[in-house]
Amino acid sequence: MTASFECTNPKSPLIYAKINSILVVLLEPQQATNVMQNIDLFEVIERDPTKVSGAWIFRGTRVPVAAFFENIKDGASVDQFLEWFPGVTRTQVEVLLDRALASLTQMAQV
């Protein structure tokens, strides 16, 4: 998946976001940031009603995202989780955690 941003007027607070050269949306800068963060997130997790009862899972696996947070809550390290669920990559976990942090940061600014 590719995404690019263009600012046609530097004085304008709006920019265009192109995703896979298909979708062009007029966005404010914060909305553009949210789009990019969600693109990253949806590259590493997915939700399909035919897999694991429609739960959010790490893309390419059947490992629920909830299993990650439950294991961390119970004291496991990221390395332990990755060892226990070898289909999940460190990159997937890092993108998930980065997005969770970004969401919390954004909520704190409101």
Side-chain angles (χ1 to χ4, degrees):
M1 182 178 303
T2 62
S4 64
F5 294 98
E6 299 172 19
C7 182
T8 55
N9 180 353
K11 295 181 182 179
S12 171
L14 302 174
I15 59 177
Y16 293 91
K18 286 186 183 178
I19 303 173
N20 284 345
S21 300
I22 297 172
L23 175 65
V24 179
V25 183
L26 190 61
L27 300 169
E28 293 179 4
Q30 184 57 47
Q31 290 172 316
T33 299
N34 291 342
V35 167
M36 286 305 296
Q37 289 171 340
N38 286 334
I39 290 170
D40 289 344
L41 182 62
F42 297 133
E43 286 180 352
V44 300
I45 66 171
E46 64 182 330
R47 188 173 188 188
D48 181 337
T50 66
K51 296 180 183 177
V52 194
S53 301
W56 284 105
I57 59 176
F58 288 95
R59 186 170 293 281
T61 76
R62 297 184 62 79
V63 179
V65 170
F68 171 72
F69 288 108
E70 290 166 3
N71 278 278
I72 296 298
K73 182 180 80 172
D74 291 341
S77 69
V78 170
D79 288 331
Q80 287 173 317
F81 179 81
L82 294 173
E83 182 181 323
W84 298 333
F85 299 94
V88 179
T89 67
R90 180 169 296 279
T91 299
Q92 288 175 308
V93 168
E94 288 174 355
V95 169
L96 179 65
L97 290 173
D98 287 345
R99 184 60 181 119
L101 177 60
S103 293
L104 289 172
T105 301
Q106 183 179 3
M107 286 189 303
Q109 294 173 352
V110 174

